[in-house]
Amino acid sequence: MKTVPQITTEQAAAFVKDGDTLLQGGFGMTGNPVHLMDALSKTETKNITFIGNNVGEAGIGGGRLLRNGQLKKMIGSFFTSNPEAVKAAQDGIVEYELIPQGTLAEALRAGGAGIGGFYTPTAAGTTIAEGKETKIIDGVEQVFVKGIRGDVAFIRAWKADTAGNLIYRMTEQNFNRAMATAADLVVAEVEEIVPEGTLDPNYIHTPGCYVDYLVQATLTLEDLGSSASVSKGKKVSEDRMNIAKRALQELKKGDVVNLGIGIPTLVADLITPKHGVILHTENGMLGVGPEPVDGGGAMNYPVNAGKIPVTAVPGSSYFDSADSFAMIRGKHVDVAVMGGLEVDEHANLANWAVPGQPLLGVGGAMDLASGAKTLIITMNHNNRDGSSKILPTCTLPLTTLGSVDMVITELAVFKYIDNKLTLIELMPGATLEEIREKTEAKFVEQLA
């Protein structure tokens, strides 16, 4: 077998040249090659096109390069977790391109597999698809996406052998596996390097033929940013909890369910083993359990898509982001429960962007909204100014067209029956008159 050279972080950083496209693995700070990024931040290399799910956090990972002015362009799915990245993009300091999370993962996998591009239903009909080639396939509008490759990939793995074979830990596969295949030169930062033959071939995630160099670097709590430990003291309003409880009633034993951020995360707190619900998280886990009770963080536990440490229930499994979104687009996720900013009479959803606000990231919302078999939206009935969030037509940038199946607010439960927004239930304390007054959209009444 070949022997992959072991080098220092400084030697690895020297491979990145001015104007290069750099792929950086990780989801948030989980599986993030922070030591390689730190070394690169100490160089004079500039005009880098950075491709990753997010640009680290402020001053950590890719955030170091951004703060130093080393980035020319950012390409990713979710910049909101780094306020400095949002400001740099919105102020025109750094070019940027938003790509839905699952599309980004698949584009990297395609690039690494020598595939020029592919069609996906994700983002069809939204601003993300503007100017792109589309095609109707089996009656569904799909958007063409070009495969992605980079000059250099910095990735993070748990273990490597001297032949370059890699094993990732828990949810640290995320974007690392695809990126390991999609660059001209790949450097893997790993916790431990063992002699060839030590790792069981059955458990190798990335074969050594993809890896050019290894760097041994030990992870510390400081490297994990917001995932270092579990936050405490969550305060929840009665209205939000009532919405979560009602959403739980829609989940059946054996359902594979993805819960978005916001109110949907409260549903996770209500699920017990007797419900028999299988929770899926788009960064690579099936069988998500509750938050750890010992206060442990991402050094000891997997993390979910909200970058919160969680436990794994018996029978759970880990995989990478490309496989995770293949499950979603392939209709292997039964229910997605998501938050919403607006929903309209045509079952359209807007939940990812508010013009003028410091938000810049679509994440996995477009993939989930169009890919899940059933889409349930949980949200407050009205905005803070009293205006309706259930409208004749959405005014905010769309997440998906015609995909919403149910809307649950603190006042009402709506379903789309025969393509009509239909009121099927009043929430506790709500009256029909109140719902009529506070709902701008036209709806049919079908109360029991």
Side-chain angles (χ1 to χ4, degrees):
M1 297 292 287
K2 74 169 184 177
T3 299
V4 173
Q6 298 178 38
I7 61 175
T8 66
T9 55
E10 292 77 15
Q11 289 172 316
F15 289 125
V16 183
K17 307 300 182 185
D18 284 0
D20 272 358
T21 294
L22 173 67
L23 310 181
Q24 184 225 267
F27 183 88
M29 300 312 299
T30 302
N32 194 302
V34 288
H35 301 88
L36 292 173
M37 300 303 290
D38 183 37
L40 182 56
S41 74
K42 296 173 182 176
T43 70
E44 299 298 319
T45 309
K46 296 186 182 299
N47 296 317
I48 297 169
T49 295
F50 175 95
I51 301 179
N53 182 58
N54 53 288
V55 191
E57 295 182 4
I60 310 177
R64 287 183 182 269
L65 306 186
L66 174 67
R67 187 174 285 182
N68 289 348
Q70 293 174 274
L71 301 186
K72 174 186 177 183
K73 185 174 183 178
M74 308 177 296
I75 300 174
S77 83
F78 195 77
F79 302 135
T80 304
S81 56
N82 185 345
E84 293 179 3
V86 176
K87 182 172 173 53
Q90 294 183 337
D91 289 350
I93 297 171
V94 179
E95 299 174 45
Y96 73 94
E97 180 181 354
L98 275 176
I99 302 178
Q101 194 175 118
T103 301
L104 176 61
E106 193 64 25
L108 289 161
R109 179 156 68 177
I115 297 171
F118 57 93
Y119 287 92
T120 175
T122 301
T126 74
T127 56
I128 296 292
E130 287 180 359
K132 296 184 178 179
E133 177 189 344
T134 62
K135 181 178 289 188
I136 304 297
I137 301 175
D138 294 332
V140 178
E141 183 180 8
Q142 306 212 22
V143 182
F144 180 77
V145 178
K146 188 176 180 293
I148 291 176
R149 287 191 62 87
D151 297 299
V152 179
F154 283 172
I155 64 171
R156 171 86 193 179
W158 179 43
K159 285 186 178 182
D161 64 16
T162 53
N165 296 306
L166 304 180
I167 295 176
Y168 305 96
R169 190 182 72 99
M170 297 185 290
T171 48
E172 293 175 3
Q173 293 184 51
N174 49 67
F175 283 86
N176 283 303
R177 275 184 59 190
M179 287 183 173
T181 72
D184 298 334
L185 186 145
V186 176
V187 182
E189 172 187 312
V190 299
E191 191 76 14
E192 182 182 2
I193 302 173
V194 299
E196 66 177 17
T198 304
L199 303 179
D200 187 334
N202 289 297
Y203 300 108
I204 299 299
H205 295 123
T206 294
C209 65
Y210 292 111
V211 179
D212 297 294
Y213 296 94
L214 295 172
V215 171
Q216 193 282 320
T218 302
L219 206 63
T220 66
L221 278 176
E222 290 73 24
D223 298 324
L224 296 175
S226 60
S227 293
S229 61
V230 177
S231 60
K232 301 292 182 181
K234 194 186 297 181
K235 292 185 179 180
V236 181
S237 71
E238 183 179 0
D239 281 348
R240 288 167 69 88
M241 187 55 70
N242 283 340
I243 295 171
K245 289 176 180 178
R246 181 59 185 82
L248 179 62
Q249 295 178 28
E250 296 299 313
L251 308 183
K252 303 185 296 296
K253 188 172 184 178
D255 276 351
V256 174
V257 178
N258 186 290
L259 302 174
I261 60 174
I263 295 174
T265 61
L266 302 178
V267 180
D269 297 335
L270 301 172
I271 292 173
T272 65
K274 71 176 183 180
H275 289 105
V277 173
I278 305 162
L279 291 182
H280 168 278
T281 180
E282 54 261 43
N283 58 310
M285 184 178 180
L286 194 62
V288 180
E291 294 179 9
V293 296
D294 61 5
M299 292 283 284
N300 312 104
Y301 293 97
V303 302
N304 63 15
K307 305 178 183 67
I308 302 298
V310 293
T311 55
V313 300
S316 62
S317 58
Y318 302 114
F319 33 88
D320 77 336
S321 295
D323 282 346
S324 183
F325 282 95
M327 294 177 187
I328 294 165
R329 286 189 305 271
K331 301 295 183 182
H332 305 290
V333 172
D334 296 297
V335 183
V337 183
M338 303 178 68
L341 296 172
E342 293 177 348
V343 174
D344 67 21
E345 295 174 11
H346 313 289
N348 300 325
L349 168 68
N351 79 340
W352 71 276
V354 180
Q357 294 296 312
L359 302 171
L360 192 65
V362 64
M366 289 185 177
D367 307 271
L368 282 162
S370 62
K373 292 179 183 176
T374 299
L375 177 60
I376 299 173
I377 302 304
T378 57
M379 64 182 189
N380 293 326
H381 204 92
N382 299 89
N383 294 302
R384 291 181 181 178
D385 64 2
S387 59
S388 178
K389 297 174 74 171
I390 305 176
L391 303 169
T393 302
C394 288
T395 61
L396 294 174
L398 291 178
T399 303
T400 187
L401 293 171
S403 298
V404 180
D405 296 289
M406 175 178 279
V407 182
I408 303 173
T409 75
E410 77 278 15
L411 299 179
V413 180
F414 295 90
K415 273 189 175 180
Y416 289 86
I417 301 175
D418 296 328
N419 296 319
K420 293 181 180 179
L421 180 65
T422 305
L423 175 66
I424 64 166
E425 185 178 328
L426 306 181
M427 290 289 279
T431 65
L432 182 57
E433 291 72 19
E434 181 181 17
I435 293 167
R436 288 170 177 165
E437 178 184 347
K438 294 183 175 181
T439 307
E440 189 174 332
K442 295 180 181 179
F443 59 88
V444 176
E445 297 169 16
Q446 201 173 104
L447 298 170

